[in-house]
Amino acid sequence: MHTTPQTPLPTTMPAGNAGAVPLDWALVQDDLRKVVGAEDYASWLAPLVPHKLEGRTLTLGVPTRFMQDWVGNNYRTLVATTVEARVGYPVDVALTVTPAFASMAAPAAVVAAAKEIPAPAETEVAAVDTASRFDPRYTFDSFVTGKGNEFAFAAAKRVAEEGGFNPLFLHGGVGLGKTHLMHAIGWEITRRKPGLKVMYLSSEQFFSRFIRSLQVKDVFAFKQQMRDMDVLMVDDVQFICGKDATQEEFFHTFNALVGSGKQVVLTADRSPHELDNIDERLKSRLGSGLTVKVNPPDVETRLAILRSKAAQMELSLADEVLENLAATIASNVRELEGALNRLVAASRLMGNEITLEFARDQLADLYRLHARVVTVDDIQKTVADYFKIRVADMHSPRRARNLARPRQVAMYLCKQLTTRSFPDIGRAFGGKDHTTVMHGVNTIRDLMERDGELAEHVGILTQMLGGVRG
Ligand code: ADP
Ligand code: MG
């Protein structure tokens, strides 16, 4: 076809145009199976369904949200590198929950820009049917205890064995084992009393089931189903906050269950009284049973967790590698586990032994992240987000307590986590005098001794910031 220079450039490339590299998914599947072994492959990777490879993004469908998280956390890098080996350029893997596709046979080959496969928009709702299945890996046996989580573990076990503590409310940062403990409770109760109806739902699942019942005008059936449970576990309830109708419904369900002696187990990223946008009645009810905080594991526990995971995977890894990982990746267990999985996948793929050097090399990004120098900007932004104020409030002279306190916390963290001087920090906070900074830092230091809640906020923020002194 003849094109003149005046012809406008097409805004979209037709399918199959430049960059369209056919990807033979069956071959990728073979590679993956070899790397992870038949069992893990069948559980986690076989259900993946390729949707499209567009640009450098490969979109894969997964049947449930749970798998989306799991595969995302544990296998994303492996899938990406395996695909890269086939197509010859790096790809990003995006996972989308598309239950309808899970049961269909995977197409043998996906071609770039195969737009005819639509990604269903409604994902949450359809994940519902798998809601009460428990993850086989999340048991009490596989949970490593140590300072930080032993109380939560004991409480969860007690609830599973003899009930009581109603509701049990576990709270703490991400990746510390809250979901794990809920599944473990689920397993244990179904093992002991197979007749009991035990349901585990993420907040989103609760929300979407409820909304769905409104749409199909069958709220009654929803209520019945929830009230019919002997044990109801709802994960990450902070997501229900602010959703008024859902919250209201949750409150009624909760009261009905607890009122009739049914066990309720809940988790959130913070304690009941720190939840925002939530009805006061519900807030006080949530905290009316046993509330337990899950703290980040200390280095010994992190090492024990790594040893246990390595044993589960039948790996023998040099102590120095495990110790180094445990010392470096202090944030949470999920990241720790992710690092180990990545390392193992890389070593299998490349046929290398896992030495300290190999580990450092393969996990260079993580090592960099955790040794990251925390900047004043990071701190201001993180603290402002956390206390829901604007970053600009960090610089402003306004002294209202709700602004001044977070600002002082940020100053305190700047002193703890960076090497900047008092005058330097003052300048970064809108040109404040160094005495103002000193006062702020001292105020927080003193308050933390008396005010457990503040100390907890500072602890969480330190963890969020990576906590490494720059
Ligand atoms: P949370 O729900 O608190 O965000 P998860 O329960 O999802 O955290 O835990 C993240 C990952 O870390 C899971 O794979 C879980 O099995 C693992 N994990 C967390 N704590 C422990 C522990 N104490 N022992 C063994 N594995 C743990
Ligand atoms: Mg969780």
Side-chain angles (χ1 to χ4, degrees):
M1 198 180 89
H2 179 75
T3 32
T4 64
Q6 293 95 303
T7 311
L9 286 169
T11 48
T12 51
M13 289 280 191
N17 207 323
V21 181
L23 166 65
D24 190 334
W25 186 244
L27 294 178
V28 174
Q29 288 180 309
D30 282 346
D31 296 349
L32 290 171
R33 193 183 294 111
K34 279 182 207 136
V35 175
V36 303
E39 204 186 310
D40 281 5
Y41 176 80
S43 318
W44 306 113
L45 300 173
L48 300 181
V49 180
H51 283 193
K52 58 186 180 202
L53 176 57
E54 209 167 30
R56 304 224 145 163
T57 304
L58 172 65
T59 307
L60 299 171
V62 285
T64 63
R65 268 190 70 88
F66 179 73
M67 284 211 36
Q68 183 184 33
D69 284 353
W70 184 272
V71 173
N73 285 324
N74 295 299
Y75 295 111
R76 190 194 299 275
T77 314
L78 171 67
V79 174
T81 31
T82 312
V83 173
E84 180 184 346
R86 289 281 164 194
V87 296
Y89 54 82
V91 295
D92 282 327
V93 170
L95 298 167
T96 153
V97 184
T98 51
F101 289 103
S103 50
M104 285 167 43
V110 208
V111 177
K115 291 208 179 69
E116 62 277 13
I117 308 177
E122 239 195 311
T123 56
E124 311 271 13
V125 173
V128 148
D129 289 332
T130 56
S132 352
R133 258 182 247 153
F134 306 120
D135 188 291
R137 299 171 196 221
Y138 292 174
T139 61
F140 285 126
D141 282 344
S142 66
F143 194 85
V144 177
T145 56
K147 223 163 83 193
N149 63 24
E150 58 201 354
F151 188 27
F153 176 82
K157 216 154 177 204
R158 163 81 182 270
V159 161
E161 286 169 358
E162 46 196 294
F165 303 143
N166 212 3
L168 173 62
F169 193 106
L170 302 174
H171 67 101
V174 293
L176 298 181
K178 300 183 299 296
T179 298
H180 186 136
L181 286 175
M182 275 190 153
H183 283 248
I185 291 174
W187 282 119
E188 188 61 24
I189 292 180
T190 21
R191 190 179 70 78
R192 285 171 174 261
K193 301 195 177 134
L196 287 191
K197 295 196 193 102
V198 184
M199 184 181 281
Y200 165 89
L201 291 172
S202 67
S203 291
E204 290 96 330
Q205 286 168 331
F206 185 91
F207 172 69
S208 55
R209 278 190 175 201
F210 173 59
I211 297 299
R212 170 89 168 177
S213 77
L214 290 174
Q215 284 163 352
V216 301
K217 302 201 167 42
D218 203 359
V219 182
F220 182 73
F222 173 81
K223 286 179 190 291
Q224 276 306 110
Q225 191 194 19
M226 292 297 146
R227 285 163 180 59
D228 202 31
M229 290 299 139
D230 296 300
V231 180
L232 178 67
M233 299 189 276
V234 183
D235 210 350
D236 290 317
V237 296
Q238 73 272 11
F239 293 127
I240 289 179
C241 296
K243 298 187 170 93
D244 290 342
T246 306
Q247 196 183 284
E248 179 80 19
E249 188 53 42
F250 177 71
F251 182 56
H252 293 313
T253 303
F254 177 92
N255 282 335
L257 288 172
V258 174
S260 53
K262 310 292 187 59
Q263 179 71 49
V264 175
V265 183
L266 306 167
T267 71
D269 65 350
R270 59 196 83 180
S271 71
H273 72 271
E274 289 170 305
L275 290 169
D276 300 319
N277 293 325
I278 179 174
D279 186 286
E280 284 303 320
R281 292 170 309 162
L282 177 53
K283 197 186 247 196
S284 75
R285 294 287 284 146
L286 292 180
S288 64
L290 179 68
T291 299
V292 182
K293 174 148 192 274
V294 191
N295 288 299
D298 57 8
V299 65
E300 286 86 32
T301 314
R302 296 201 294 274
L303 186 57
I305 290 171
L306 283 175
R307 292 222 163 94
S308 142
K309 305 269 168 202
Q312 266 171 38
M313 295 193 263
E314 296 179 3
L315 292 167
S316 67
L317 284 178
D319 271 350
E320 61 167 5
V321 173
L322 296 178
E323 278 162 17
N324 200 264
L325 277 180
T328 312
I329 299 169
S331 45
N332 68 57
V333 184
R334 178 172 299 146
E335 264 200 277
L336 197 61
E337 202 173 271
L340 183 65
N341 286 334
R342 256 179 70 182
L343 203 52
V344 172
S347 101
R348 290 196 181 144
L349 208 58
M350 297 158 73
N352 277 41
E353 209 189 312
I354 303 180
T355 58
L356 189 53
E357 203 191 337
F358 182 76
R360 286 228 172 98
D361 206 38
Q362 287 305 314
L363 303 175
D365 56 327
L366 285 180
Y367 276 80
R368 257 199 308 280
L369 182 72
H370 289 277
R372 157 182 96 144
V373 177
V374 182
T375 66
V376 172
D377 278 356
D378 290 338
I379 294 173
Q380 291 180 334
K381 176 149 193 340
T382 307
V383 175
D385 283 354
Y386 184 84
F387 289 109
K388 303 199 173 61
I389 62 173
R390 295 169 311 144
V391 177
D393 294 326
M394 289 287 162
H395 308 278
S396 93
R398 294 177 53 200
R399 293 190 184 181
R401 169 74 75 87
N402 66 328
L403 304 180
R405 199 60 95 221
R407 200 187 292 134
Q408 290 176 327
V409 167
M411 289 175 178
Y412 171 85
L413 288 168
C414 286
K415 198 63 210 159
Q416 296 300 309
L417 304 177
T418 77
T419 50
R420 307 276 294 266
S421 66
F422 284 121
D424 231 17
I425 295 173
R427 275 189 287 280
F429 281 78
K432 296 198 172 49
D433 193 68
H434 72 279
T435 53
T436 308
V437 180
M438 287 165 72
H439 172 70
V441 171
N442 289 333
T443 304
I444 297 302
R445 188 174 291 137
D446 292 346
L447 276 177
M448 276 168 63
E449 289 188 3
R450 287 178 272 130
D451 181 347
E453 207 174 304
L454 180 71
E456 193 170 322
H457 290 315
V458 173
I460 293 171
L461 282 162
T462 307
Q463 197 200 353
M464 286 167 75
L465 285 160
V468 176
R469 184 186 282 262

